[in-house]
Amino acid sequence: MIGAETGSHLKDAFVILVGVLGFKGRWTGVNMYGAPVDLSFKQISSLAGAWTEEPRTSLRPLKRNSEMKYQSRSLRLSNNNITELHDLLKPVRHFLAEPSLLAWLDLSFNKISHIDQVLCELRELRVLYLHGNSIFILSEVDRLGVLPHLHTVTLHGNVIETNNAYRSRVISALPQLKTMDFSAVTSQERVMAKIWHHSNNRGRSSKKTPQ
């Protein structure tokens, strides 16, 4: 049985791996995302007050700039009691030296029911974990399509996972996706997602056609 602390450290290692494999931008290798600012297991229910929390310690020490903000592109808010995301930018701006460059965000195992538009403001986001929440409207995944660099997402453990079109719908909405629910997106799945998309559009069009 892996404890909470060990699981947290394993996630740190995964940050490095995802970074090395998934991004060829201005930062490379292990320095790409930096050690995550870890606010997991803090019993946070409101993001508006998350700035008062002290990040958990990590195997990789967090570096700060002259303003005492963390030089990291990763933020972990998993295993809390968060229900709403509209105040997400408050802790992002408070803790990160360059908040506009946030690339890795872990919101897993909370009580989030909607994919808020605020996520669309994180234009540099590469990795987004939303598994283990209460998201129930599958079409809200479409909102993430505006994020040009998002290549990894998790949504399993939400109500939307029970939809028969779940995986095809997500891959269709996020054509740049490389990994979904910790599983690589295959070329066959991309084809099936395109077929689903065209079939779904035809169905909508026929319903609008006057009889």
Side-chain angles (χ1 to χ4, degrees), residues 17-82:
L17 178 61
V18 170
V20 172
L21 297 178
F23 177 56
K24 298 179 181 179
R26 81 185 245 193
W27 290 4
T28 59
V30 297
N31 294 319
M32 181 187 317
Y33 298 142
V37 176
D38 191 350
L39 298 173
S40 62
F41 297 97
K42 292 287 187 177
Q43 299 184 339
I44 297 170
S45 57
S46 172
L47 288 171
W51 65 272
T52 62
E53 300 289 344
E54 183 67 23
R56 297 162 65 86
T57 57
S58 170
L59 291 175
R60 299 165 61 203
L62 291 165
K63 296 180 180 180
R64 300 197 192 203
N65 64 7
S66 59
E67 297 177 342
M68 298 306 291
K69 292 184 180 292
Y70 295 104
Q71 295 177 318
S72 173
R73 298 184 67 187
S74 308
L75 178 62
R76 179 180 293 137
L77 285 158
S78 60
N79 294 279
N80 284 297
N81 300 307
I82 300 166

Side-chain angles (χ1 to χ4, degrees), residues 112-117 119-120 130 134-145 155 160 169-170 173-174:
I112 300 163
S113 58
H114 293 282
I115 297 178
D116 197 282
Q117 291 282 3
L119 292 172
C120 302
L130 283 168
S134 304
I135 300 168
F136 63 94
I137 302 177
L138 185 56
S139 60
E140 289 184 351
V141 174
D142 296 352
R143 296 173 179 175
L144 302 177
L155 290 160
I160 58 174
R169 176 60 184 268
V170 175
L174 308 173

Side-chain angles (χ1 to χ4, degrees), residues 151-169:
H151 60 68
T152 298
V153 70
T154 60
L155 290 160
H156 56 285
N158 285 281
V159 180
I160 58 174
E161 188 182 16
T162 63
N163 190 301
N164 291 333
Y166 166 64
R167 195 165 174 94
S168 291
R169 176 60 184 268

Side-chain angles (χ1 to χ4, degrees), residues 83-122:
T83 58
E84 301 286 343
L85 294 177
H86 56 268
D87 287 321
L88 175 62
L89 295 184
K90 291 183 179 179
V92 171
R93 290 167 177 162
H94 175 79
F95 287 106
L96 304 186
E98 297 185 88
S100 65
L101 295 182
L102 178 64
W104 187 95
L105 177 62
D106 186 355
L107 291 163
S108 63
F109 299 110
N110 278 286
K111 299 178 181 179
I112 300 163
S113 58
H114 293 282
I115 297 178
D116 197 282
Q117 291 282 3
V118 70
L119 292 172
C120 302
E121 298 183 40
L122 306 174

Side-chain angles (χ1 to χ4, degrees), residues 116-209:
D116 197 282
Q117 291 282 3
V118 70
L119 292 172
C120 302
E121 298 183 40
L122 306 174
R123 304 294 291 180
E124 292 296 318
L125 199 62
R126 267 77 177 167
V127 179
L128 175 61
Y129 293 158
L130 283 168
H131 57 279
N133 278 286
S134 304
I135 300 168
F136 63 94
I137 302 177
L138 185 56
S139 60
E140 289 184 351
V141 174
D142 296 352
R143 296 173 179 175
L144 302 177
V146 302
L147 300 175
H149 308 295
L150 185 65
H151 60 68
T152 298
V153 70
T154 60
L155 290 160
H156 56 285
N158 285 281
V159 180
I160 58 174
E161 188 182 16
T162 63
N163 190 301
N164 291 333
Y166 166 64
R167 195 165 174 94
S168 291
R169 176 60 184 268
V170 175
I171 296 172
S172 174
L174 308 173
Q176 75 278 24
L177 211 58
K178 295 180 180 178
T179 304
M180 177 181 169
D181 296 344
F182 300 116
S183 175
V185 176
T186 66
S187 56
Q188 183 178 3
E189 285 181 318
R190 295 186 194 282
V191 172
M192 294 304 295
K194 288 181 181 179
I195 293 173
W196 176 89
H197 178 74
H198 291 313
S199 175
N200 190 57
N201 282 349
R202 280 201 302 271
R204 290 179 180 176
S205 298
S206 63
K207 289 180 181 179
K208 294 179 182 178
T209 302

